């Protein structure tokens, strides 16, 4: 059995939405549906994935903008995450819409908040929830130990890290989340960021100017 995924850049901002599924059962989840929900629904149907829930890494509009609409298009799926500390972002979605010139997105609350140590299951796959504040206070990362794969939202990018100049963002907290919660997962772990191309933790430890340490390049 194995974990399959397809990354779909959505909206004119090209943020990464990920369709993730168990290839044995075709049960899956959608991570960070930021928009283009009709196209996402069509692709999910083409892939034959039975989506069980929509999972949010954090409350920023560009990652959650299509959530409620996609949940409805898929027949009323559960919305899960992020950590409750990001509730203020979700409650401020209308203001975020106006600020960034996005279509109006109404405030909502997920069906379930996520906490550090929670496990998300779909089919025969499990993903660990890791609370990684700094970019936002309620940000979470999803990690599949079996696949050695992490979906890190806006915590870490290929060659960069998430911004910390938003309300309740904190640079030192973000660096701590990356070094103390992500690096121990292993250098070989691939990650899908919220924007841009994939990388590995080992590569970022070797070359990312914000969080590189004394590791040799991998």
């Amino acid at each position: 059995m194995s974990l399959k995924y397809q990354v779909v850049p959505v909206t004119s901002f090209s943020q990464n939405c990920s369709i993730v599924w168990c290839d044995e059962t075709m049960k899956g989840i959608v991570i960070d549906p930021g928009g283009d929900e009709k196209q996402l629904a069509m692709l999910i149907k083409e892939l034959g994935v039975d989506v069980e829930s929509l999972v949010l890494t954090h409350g920023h509009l560009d990652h959650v903008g299509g959530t409620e609409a996609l949940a409805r298009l898929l027949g009323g799926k559960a919305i899960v995450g992020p950590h409750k500390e990001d509730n203020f972002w979700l409650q401020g979605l209308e203001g975020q819409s106006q600020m960034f010139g996005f279509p109006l997105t109404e405030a909502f609350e997920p069906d379930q908040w996520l906490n550090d140590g929670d496990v998300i299951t779909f089919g025969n796959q499990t993903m660990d929830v890791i609370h990684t504040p700094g970019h936002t206070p309620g940000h979470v990362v999803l990690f599949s130990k079996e696949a050695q794969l992490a979906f890190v939202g806006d915590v870490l990018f290929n060659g960069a890290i998430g911004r910390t100049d938003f309300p309740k963002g904190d640079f030192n907290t973000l660096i701590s989340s990356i070094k103390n919660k992500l690096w121990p997962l292993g250098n070989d772990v691939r990650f899908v960021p919220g924007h841009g191309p994939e990388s590995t933790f080992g590569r970022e430890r070797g070359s990312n100017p914000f969080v590189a340490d004394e590791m040799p390049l991998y």
Side-chain angles (χ1 to χ4, degrees):
M1 70 183 186
S2 65
L3 187 79
K4 302 282 188 189
Y5 69 99
Q6 185 157 334
V7 179
V8 187
V10 293
T11 82
S12 57
F13 288 81
S14 293
Q15 60 275 27
N16 291 332
C17 169
S18 299
I19 304 165
V20 188
W21 68 96
C22 164
D23 71 347
E24 279 192 324
T25 64
M26 295 308 291
K27 304 275 188 192
I29 59 174
V30 179
I31 301 173
D32 288 353
D36 294 347
E37 55 276 354
K38 288 178 182 166
Q39 292 94 312
L40 288 173
M42 283 172 56
L43 178 57
I44 289 162
K45 188 176 180 182
E46 284 171 22
L47 292 169
V49 177
D50 178 10
V51 171
E52 297 193 327
S53 61
L54 312 184
V55 184
L56 308 178
T57 62
H58 64 297
H60 282 164
L61 172 66
D62 57 330
H63 296 270
V64 308
T67 306
E68 285 203 303
L70 183 60
R72 283 193 295 270
L73 286 172
L74 297 177
K77 301 300 178 181
I79 299 170
V80 179
H83 185 283
K84 196 168 188 175
E85 284 288 323
D86 265 16
N87 191 33
F88 78 100
W89 279 116
L90 294 178
Q91 297 314 310
L93 282 170
E94 290 186 34
Q96 287 191 65
S97 305
Q98 292 162 352
M99 194 190 319
F100 295 112
F102 267 71
L104 181 66
T105 301
E106 293 183 356
F108 67 90
E109 212 170 278
D111 299 293
Q112 176 195 342
W113 298 106
L114 290 172
N115 290 305
D116 195 69
D118 285 351
V119 176
I120 289 174
T121 60
F122 48 97
N124 300 318
Q125 295 292 329
T126 61
M127 300 194 85
D128 296 321
V129 175
I130 304 167
H131 182 210
T132 49
H135 177 64
T136 68
H139 201 299
V140 295
V141 162
L142 305 175
F143 173 59
S144 167
K145 187 172 184 181
E146 183 191 19
Q148 289 289 285
L149 177 67
F151 294 85
V152 302
D154 284 357
V155 169
L156 180 68
F157 302 111
N158 185 325
I161 58 172
R163 292 172 56 175
T164 55
D165 57 342
F166 292 118
K168 298 192 182 178
D170 186 80
F171 178 81
N172 291 332
T173 302
L174 181 65
I175 298 300
S176 174
S177 287
I178 294 168
K179 292 191 171 184
N180 298 324
K181 295 193 170 184
L182 299 188
W183 288 173
L185 299 176
N187 292 322
D188 294 334
V189 173
R190 284 178 301 129
F191 69 88
V192 176
H195 304 264
E198 298 175 24
S199 182
T200 66
F201 290 160
R203 189 182 304 157
E204 299 311 304
R205 289 185 79 169
S207 62
N208 188 313
F210 297 95
V211 285
D213 50 25
E214 300 307 308
M215 292 296 303
L217 271 172
Y218 280 82

